[in-house]
Amino acid sequence: MDLREFGEFLRSRRDRIQPDEVGVPVSARRRVPGLRRDEVAVLAGVSVDYYNQLEQGRGAQPSEQIVAALARALRLTRDERAHLYFLAGRPVPPRHSLAAHVHPGMLDLLQRLPATPAAVITDLHATLVQNRLATALLGPAGAATGREAGFVYRWFTDPDARGRYHPDEHDHQSRVFVADLRAVAARRGKDAEVAGLIGELLSSSEEFAGLWARQEVAVRRSDRKRLVHPQLGVITLDCLSLLSEDGTQRLLWFTAPLGGESAEKLALLDVLGGQDVATDISLRR
């Protein structure tokens, strides 16, 4: 890799982004075009010292996770992202991985939902990026990798994964997850990742095997959920999703019925989220 060129490319992309495009407050005393180094560091979830080293062409080779976080923070296009990986001496991740390219348009939409819990996930329900209210509502995305990063996998293999869902919701959610996974399997075709996931769940979860045998298939586009928040209790929310053109990623957002108790709790969640999370966007690293 060429750390010097890597740093120069980061700097060139940083200079072109206006702060309001990524939700950074603009002050009248601003002296630099684009974003400051410390702002990119916060958006990417890395230390300011480490980011400074990268722009200066110093330090160790950045990991694939760091490159992915920088690409998202800088709103790189798919081609620019591939170039960043090339300069970092890292292979471009597969499109279904946790380091997959998140389209800048989805990130922009996510940024425009500051008062609504929202996240971008893969078609196997692995969180790629979520805002502070989604973190406050659902908890941190976690550091799991591979198959364990997908929520549909954890739902059937880890009882703790269901902790934020009301017990009365579990049967319905299980059925919806399985029907959605069957739709993903049909869309992806002969995909080793999906086939391996299905095979493991069939062998490890009697519940999954029973639901899979029912042959139900439906892409999950909307649903009503009763979630259990550790401080606010039960919150009833509508969950809606916007699918990418190829169906590999989804933008999820949660809304509460107007005028009810859940709407009041969602407003309180905004306060709690502001106390618990320092940045507007929480990126996997």
Side-chain angles (χ1 to χ4, degrees), residues 80-93:
E80 290 171 336
R81 174 177 171 272
H83 184 62
L84 189 67
Y85 274 93
F86 168 74
L87 293 177
R90 299 292 186 182
V92 178

Side-chain angles (χ1 to χ4, degrees), residues 266-284:
L266 197 59
L268 289 174
L269 184 72
D270 194 2
V271 177
L272 293 175
Q275 294 173 347
D276 296 339
V277 183
T279 59
D280 284 341
I281 297 293
S282 173
L283 293 172
R284 281 188 170 273

Side-chain angles (χ1 to χ4, degrees), residues 92-112:
V92 178
R95 63 174 181 164
H96 301 301
S97 74
L98 290 175
H101 174 73
V102 180
H103 193 283
M106 277 198 167
L107 289 177
D108 288 342
L109 284 173
L110 185 66
Q111 189 67 49
R112 295 174 189 276

Side-chain angles (χ1 to χ4, degrees), residues 212-242:
W212 188 258
R214 296 171 68 166
Q215 299 286 328
E216 293 180 340
V217 53
V219 175
R220 188 173 196 164
R221 292 183 171 87
S222 63
D223 203 0
R224 175 160 288 189
K225 301 183 179 185
R226 281 184 292 170
L227 301 174
V228 182
H229 190 272
Q231 294 169 277
L232 300 177
V234 178
I235 310 177
T236 301
L237 298 172
D238 292 318
C239 177
L240 302 100
S241 63
L242 174 67

Side-chain angles (χ1 to χ4, degrees), residues 151-166:
F151 191 64
V152 66
Y153 174 81
R154 299 199 307 276
W155 181 266
F156 290 102
T157 60
D158 180 6
D160 292 340
R162 305 187 180 196
R164 296 232 175 178
Y165 284 75
H166 193 283

